[in-house]
Amino acid sequence: MAPHSSARPKAELDLADQLGHELVRFVRLINRTKSQVIKQGPDGIERMAYAMLFTLIHEGPQRASWLAESLHSEISTISRQSSLLVQHGLLERQSDPKDGRACLLAPTAEGLRVFEENRKQRNQWLAEVLEDWADDDRQNLNRLFGKLNAGIEKNSAQFADNTEVSQARGAST
């Protein structure tokens, strides 16, 4: 989504348009599927709470402010969700060894168990979705999806840098 100074060939833009259409369709389908799964879930934990749990399991204990930045969310949302996760026994608050006045959020053993249970369900569902695919196609999908994500991460960083520069220019004029 970053502005780019050079014009792209029409064929390249047409392919990008087709991919954009499929990505929007993909996101809609994933959101619909997640909504259905959450409605069925016995724990009543919201999607943002699962995203927090996922992030803390993969990144380790973190401050709420870091989580808000990482998940592109408001600190009030993170605070509300972390309280819910603590009440459910999925997260705990730990003192920050770098600053005793602050606390870190960390998954509990129950949080890890719930995460792993959800991960197994997700993997089962994905395996069913891809069961008719050839092994090479599944391998290629993983490889290309990883490549797409890396490209998005790279260009997202450039977009953030361009936005900061534009905002700084706007503030100085």
Side-chain angles (χ1 to χ4, degrees):
M1 302 262 273
H4 203 276
S5 58
S6 64
R8 301 280 183 190
K10 182 177 179 344
E12 192 175 325
L13 292 174
D14 288 346
L15 280 173
D17 187 52
Q18 290 172 4
L19 177 61
H21 173 79
E22 291 302 328
L23 286 172
V24 168
R25 181 176 168 214
F26 175 76
V27 169
R28 271 196 338 255
L29 289 167
I30 290 298
N31 286 335
R32 183 178 72 193
T33 301
K34 282 183 175 182
S35 294
Q36 291 169 344
V37 168
I38 287 172
K39 287 177 186 172
Q40 298 168 1
D43 49 29
I45 303 297
E46 296 178 30
R47 264 190 278 176
M48 176 57 75
Y50 279 119
M52 290 172 55
L53 189 58
F54 177 91
T55 301
L56 291 170
I57 286 170
H58 286 90
E59 300 294 330
Q62 300 292 333
R63 289 185 180 191
S65 58
W66 182 91
L67 270 174
E69 185 177 323
S70 177
L71 296 172
H72 308 287
S73 186
E74 297 293 324
I75 191 72
S76 60
T77 301
I78 298 299
S79 179
R80 183 175 54 81
Q81 292 296 331
S82 63
S83 292
L84 178 68
L85 288 167
V86 168
Q87 288 172 4
H88 278 82
L90 304 178
L91 286 185
E92 63 184 2
R93 290 185 175 92
Q94 303 173 342
S95 64
D96 186 339
K98 295 178 184 173
D99 181 355
R101 298 169 295 171
C103 75
L104 301 176
L105 296 167
T108 63
E110 178 65 5
L112 290 168
R113 186 196 67 74
V114 167
F115 172 79
E116 283 302 321
E117 185 177 312
N118 280 278
R119 181 177 173 188
K120 287 177 188 174
Q121 289 175 358
R122 181 202 63 205
N123 291 348
Q124 182 64 38
W125 176 75
L126 284 170
E128 288 172 15
V129 167
L130 300 174
E131 71 185 343
D132 294 336
W133 289 37
D135 189 53
D136 283 350
D137 289 343
R138 287 182 285 209
Q139 298 282 343
N140 282 330
L141 176 64
N142 279 332
R143 182 181 57 76
L144 292 171
F145 225 109
K147 191 173 182 177
L148 176 64
N149 285 335
I152 291 171
E153 288 169 344
K154 177 183 172 190
N155 284 294
S156 293
Q158 289 173 352
F159 180 69
D161 291 344
N162 288 340
T163 302
E164 289 170 9
V165 168
S166 296
Q167 288 174 345
R169 284 184 188 145
S172 65
T173 57

